[in-house]
């Protein structure tokens, strides 16, 4: 009986993309944190956002006071919605104020 061919060697283990410093209490939040970070990395250029480190995002989310980072993220997400509402109101012959009545 012939032996099956040996499997080729495995590729080297990739280097970690993120370095998270999470306490055991915060560890269940690592999935949503990484998803938010990936969203920012993927759509950041289209939203005119600078790259954000995961640790900076984590710190902003855990900070109890207003965060400039979170304010910038929120305004970047709202800007296209506001532009679309204003465009829709203009196309319908209404004013910008009319665009907000549906919100």
């Amino acid at each position: 009986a012939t032996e099956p061919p040996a499997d080729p060697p495995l590729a080297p283990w990739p280097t970690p993309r993120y370095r998270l410093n999470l306490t055991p209490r915060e560890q269940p939040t690592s999935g949503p944190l990484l998803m938010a970070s990936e969203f920012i990395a993927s759509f950041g250029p289209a939203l005119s956002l600078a790259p954000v480190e995961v640790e900076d995002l984590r710190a902003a989310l855990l900070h109890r006071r207003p965060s400039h980072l979170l304010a910038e993220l929120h305004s970047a997400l709202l800007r296209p919605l506001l532009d679309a509402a204003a465009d829709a109101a203009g196309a319908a012959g209404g004013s910008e104020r009319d665009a907000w009545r549906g919100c």
Side-chain angles (χ1 to χ4, degrees):
T2 59
E3 301 249 345
D7 290 332
L10 295 175
W13 194 263
T15 56
R17 184 170 176 185
Y18 302 107
R19 295 184 195 278
L20 292 177
N21 184 17
L22 297 175
T23 65
R25 192 185 97 222
E26 297 167 346
Q27 286 176 2
T29 65
S30 63
L33 178 64
L34 290 175
M35 285 190 293
S37 178
E38 280 298 316
F39 179 88
I40 295 167
S42 297
F43 295 101
L47 296 170
S48 301
L49 288 172
V52 176
E53 293 290 327
V54 177
E55 189 61 29
D56 294 337
L57 181 60
R58 182 194 74 82
L61 290 168
L62 291 175
H63 194 63
R64 294 186 181 263
R65 296 191 176 198
S67 162
H68 293 288
L69 174 60
L70 294 181
E72 186 63 32
L73 291 173
H74 281 106
S75 66
L77 291 170
L78 286 173
R79 207 171 297 125
L81 297 173
L82 298 175
D83 291 344
D87 291 346
S95 67
E96 282 190 36
R97 181 174 288 163
D98 294 333
W100 294 107
R101 290 205 172 121
C103 296

